[in-house]
Amino acid sequence: MTSEDVKTSESAVSKIVNLAEEAKLASGGVKTPSSYAFQTIIKSLVAGGVAGGVSRTAVAPLERLKILLQVQNPHSIRYSGTIQGLKYIWRTEGFRGMFKGNGTNCARIIPNSAVKFFSYEEASKGILWLYQQQTGNKDAQLTPILRLGAGACAGIIAMSATYPMDMVRGRLTVQTDQSPRQYRGIFHALSTVLREEGPRALYKGWLPSVIGVVPYVGLNFAVYESLKDWLIKSKPYGLVDSSELSVTTKLACGAAAGTVGQTVAYPLDVIRRRMQMVGWKDAASVVTGDGKTKAPVEYSGMVDAFRKTVRHEGIGALYKGLVPNSVKVVPSIAIAFVTYELVKDILQVEFRISD
């Protein structure tokens, strides 16, 4: 046997031994790197989805009131404020009315939240790698502007993927028992819109949503992580004793981030909701609640919607529903972060947002 044959035999034996060791590890329950990474991604998506569903359900009455305030006809006011609006819904529609449209909302927000958190992580990694390559500094960290970009990418991806659900959720939310047209549920609403208005109707208001999601989601992540970094590095007022923030401090950072983001992007959210009503022939009667006022709901585009809203109702109309929306931001973000951390701990996920 030649030396080449010996080398070939040794190489073959070595490969067989390696394969046997991998099979033994797999049979013994030890996860290979690829399977471990896949399971980690799935668990992270589940954690984000559960956090979104729980937090949105907790503030569902305020979410519905916000949308009703955004789209109601100015000639027939039914909801004049947060407390009055909630009382009116309870009196006229009962407990179920407080959570109308929440099923559709959760069906949208669960995948949206899951995709958003995961997309942010991936976008952050990609942007950081490009930044390090461009600057030549392998130790460079994400700046607030880069975090804003990563958050904007995550928001656009998540919003675009679930926008049809958001559109029908808006219509299910504003209909009442007196509405002449009743959507019976998510799939009935989707099929009815497709049949009567065409597939493009499912993306009405998409442009202001894309524009609005950049400051909203982008600022959420950028402000949240920047505040965390600042607190850890500067340790003001003795709020931080180590490199790890308390749950309360994290929730405060999240609440501040959410307040900033939603205030900046809110006018675009109002325009989005109003554009979603276009083409729905019963929209005027739905938003007035009694069907008496038949004012047309027509906008040719985002700019036209802005112009008509401000001309007919004033600049304040762009902030209708801001109070209940602001009230729901703090508990919603608080619950989302706590739930997210809890589910990750239960699932033993090492993959962490902003780590």
Side-chain angles (χ1 to χ4, degrees):
M1 182 178 292
T2 65
S3 60
E4 290 184 359
D5 291 336
V6 172
K7 290 180 180 179
T8 302
S9 299
E10 289 178 350
S11 177
V13 170
S14 177
K15 289 181 179 179
I16 292 172
V17 171
N18 289 336
L19 290 172
E21 288 179 349
E22 289 182 6
K24 183 178 180 181
L25 288 173
S27 63
V30 179
K31 301 178 181 63
T32 62
S34 59
S35 66
Y36 178 75
F38 178 75
Q39 289 186 18
T40 301
I41 291 171
I42 295 300
K43 289 178 179 180
S44 298
L45 290 171
V46 169
V50 171
V54 172
S55 63
R56 191 52 62 95
T57 300
V59 297
L62 289 166
E63 177 68 15
R64 186 185 182 213
L65 177 61
K66 179 200 76 171
I67 297 176
L68 288 169
L69 286 167
Q70 286 178 335
V71 303
Q72 73 173 335
N73 193 304
H75 302 293
S76 182
I77 300 297
R78 290 290 178 271
Y79 313 97
S80 59
T82 305
I83 303 300
Q84 180 276 333
L86 291 173
K87 287 182 177 179
Y88 183 83
I89 294 172
W90 180 269
R91 185 173 66 252
T92 57
E93 302 180 61
F95 179 79
R96 293 183 63 183
M98 304 291 281
F99 292 88
K100 185 169 288 184
N102 187 56
T104 311
N105 196 20
C106 286
R108 176 193 68 89
I109 202 64
I110 288 173
N112 180 283
S113 180
V115 172
K116 181 171 63 180
F117 280 121
F118 181 71
S119 297
Y120 177 75
E121 285 289 345
E122 294 304 306
S124 296
K125 291 177 184 177
I127 290 174
L128 179 58
W129 181 83
L130 290 173
Y131 182 62
Q132 290 174 341
Q133 294 296 313
Q134 186 177 19
T135 59
N137 181 10
K138 293 185 178 180
D139 296 325
Q141 298 297 317
L142 286 171
T143 65
I145 297 298
L146 295 178
R147 288 169 178 157
L148 178 67
C153 291
I156 291 172
I157 292 170
M159 183 275 300
S160 298
T162 58
Y163 192 80
M165 297 296 293
D166 183 68
M167 191 271 185
V168 299
R169 191 263 297 199
R171 294 195 176 185
L172 283 168
T173 299
V174 301
Q175 73 179 9
T176 66
D177 294 336
Q178 290 77 38
S179 304
R181 162 60 61 83
Q182 290 286 332
Y183 292 125
R184 295 191 296 270
I186 301 172
F187 296 109
H188 179 250
L190 284 170
S191 62
T192 302
V193 172
L194 279 172
R195 184 176 62 255
E196 296 184 356
E197 303 173 46
R200 291 184 62 183
L202 293 175
Y203 281 88
K204 284 179 178 177
W206 179 81
L207 181 58
S209 297
V210 169
I211 298 173
V213 83
V214 170
Y216 180 64
V217 179
L219 283 171
N220 277 350
F221 282 110
V223 173
Y224 175 69
E225 293 197 25
S226 297
L227 275 176
K228 282 179 61 180
D229 283 350
W230 177 73
L231 288 171
I232 291 173
K233 292 176 181 177
S234 62
K235 296 180 172 58
Y237 310 113
L239 292 174
V240 182
D241 295 327
S242 63
S243 60
E244 184 66 25
L245 297 178
S246 66
V247 173
T248 304
T249 305
K250 288 181 180 179
L251 295 179
C253 291
T259 301
V260 172
Q262 65 98 25
T263 302
V264 171
Y266 195 79
L268 287 159
D269 188 53
V270 172
I271 296 303
R272 172 182 61 146
R273 291 295 174 203
R274 295 195 170 202
M275 290 182 70
Q276 287 175 348
M277 302 299 120
V278 175
W280 186 13
K281 61 178 178 293
D282 297 314
S285 57
V286 166
V287 297
T288 59
D290 59 2
K292 293 179 180 179
T293 304
K294 298 295 182 180
V297 182
E298 290 296 337
Y299 305 115
S300 60
M302 183 181 69
V303 176
D304 183 55
F306 265 111
R307 186 171 58 249
K308 288 181 178 177
T309 299
V310 174
R311 184 170 69 242
H312 296 311
E313 303 174 55
I315 194 71
L318 296 176
Y319 287 91
K320 282 185 174 180
L322 179 63
V323 173
N325 195 60
S326 298
V327 171
K328 81 179 178 65
V329 160
V330 174
S332 177
I333 292 179
I335 294 168
F337 274 104
V338 170
T339 305
Y340 185 70
E341 294 294 333
L342 178 62
V343 174
K344 285 196 301 182
D345 288 340
I346 293 173
L347 298 178
Q348 298 180 339
V349 180
E350 296 180 4
F351 190 77
R352 287 182 173 273
I353 295 297
S354 72
D355 278 359

